[in-house]
């Protein structure tokens, strides 16, 4: 029988390509969309491939939406083999330029959205003694940089959660895996929330530099299709790694962090940015 996967955030980018990649590999895919009117690219892709993708509406920042979507899918599919927590967005702005509400909203989607999906699906996976939870983190889940404290903290939280679940759920046959891409060429920066520095903010210059830097890197960034291939690998590897780093930029940053002292690494980032 075909294995079943759920992917959140499938209107574009990594979620869209991961849903298509899993469907091409034979998974029955439930692709989550916050707005089902944005299913066009998913439907075009699946009809081109001849694969069968079922869409469902979910806003991961809304607990009721997650609970009712998960309940409907479990009723229909019976069991879930793979959950890809992909839905997310970037929030850029210094700690003094974002509000606490901005920060909470960032966590509601990037962190609590994943938590709630996992809470709905982990009991079934544990009962069947198998399953994969694939959390789309980022190189920003391992490295902090200026003017992105909300985004970085939400991804660090996802990393911490995933490490805990490797023990808790791992003991019951359910594996948790992190995907850590560098900059990927998607709509991420267009969809990001940019908090303009307040008048006279001392962070104006560095905010502009960071955002321009990411936009520039995105032009040359890893393709979402390449990240999707790694998502499939994480779903199918007999013995999956705890984390998969994707993209030359991510490999370079994380290797540097591993081989340098904290002070050396900070100096290196400062030289790049300031
Ligand atoms: N692009 C990068 O450089 C990069 C690098 C590392 C990690 N990532 C991570 O990869 C994931 C996907 O990003 P992407 O690059 O593919 O960007 P994207 O093209 O902007 O896709 C983001 C997806 O998440 C959905 N989404 C956002 N908030 C949601 C919510 N509350 N409920 C349900 N869906 C929601 C969006 O749906 P709507 O159409 O409704 O907005 C969209 O489908 C994110 O978690 C991101 O942090 C991206």
């Amino acid at each position: 029988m075909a294995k079943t996967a759920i992917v959140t955030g499938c209107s574009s980018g990594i979620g869209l390509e991961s849903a298509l990649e899993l469907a091409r590999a034979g998974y029955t895919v439930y692709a989550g969309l916050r707005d089902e009117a944005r299913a066009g690219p998913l439907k075009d892709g699946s009809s081109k491939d001849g694969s069968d993708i079922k869409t469902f509406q979910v806003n991961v920042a809304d607990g009721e939406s997650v609970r009712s979507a998960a309940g409907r899918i479990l009723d229909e599919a019976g069991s879930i083999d793979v959950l890809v927590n992909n839905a997310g967005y970037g929030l850029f702005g210094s700690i003094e330029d974002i509000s606490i509400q901005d920060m909470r909203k960032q966590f509601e989607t990037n962190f609590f959205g994943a938590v709630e999906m996992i809470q709905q699906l982990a009991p079934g996976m544990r009962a069947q003694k198998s399953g994969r939870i694939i959390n789309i983190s980022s190189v920003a889940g391992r490295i902090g940089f200026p003017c992105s404290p909300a985004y970085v903290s939400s991804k660090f939280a996802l990393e911490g959660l995933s490490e805990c679940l490797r023990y808790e759920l791992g003991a019951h046959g359910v594996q948790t895996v992190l995907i850590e891409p560098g900059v990927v060429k998607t709509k991420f920066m267009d969809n990001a929330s940019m908090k303009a520095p307040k008048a006279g903010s001392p962070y104006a210059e560095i905010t502009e530099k960071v955002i321009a830097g990411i936009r520039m890197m995105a032009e040359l960034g890893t393709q979402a299709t390449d990240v999707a291939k790694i998502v499939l690998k994480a779903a199918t590897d007999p013995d999956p790694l705890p984390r998969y780093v994707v993209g030359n930029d991510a490999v370079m940053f994380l290797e540097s962090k591993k081989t340098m002292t904290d002070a050396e690494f900070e100096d290196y980032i400062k030289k790049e940015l300031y």
Side-chain angles (χ1 to χ4, degrees), residues 88-92 187-195 215:
Y89 71 97
L91 167 57
F92 295 95
K187 292 186 179 160
F188 180 79
M189 288 304 275
D190 296 334
N191 291 335
S193 172
M194 308 288 182
K195 296 296 161 185
R215 281 195 198 284

Side-chain angles (χ1 to χ4, degrees), residues 8-16 32-35 38 58-62 85-90 108-110 136-140 151 155 179-189 191-192 214 218 224:
T8 62
C10 296
S11 67
S12 63
I14 296 169
L16 166 67
L33 297 150
R34 183 160 48 173
D35 175 359
R38 293 196 194 160
V58 71
N59 174 1
V60 300
D62 173 351
N85 282 311
N86 165 76
Y89 71 97
E108 287 298 342
T109 296
N110 290 12
I136 309 296
S137 175
S138 167
V139 71
Y151 183 67
K155 294 294 186 183
I179 308 289
E180 298 172 334
V183 180
V184 185
K185 200 171 176 178
T186 66
K187 292 186 179 160
F188 180 79
M189 288 304 275
N191 291 335
I214 303 174

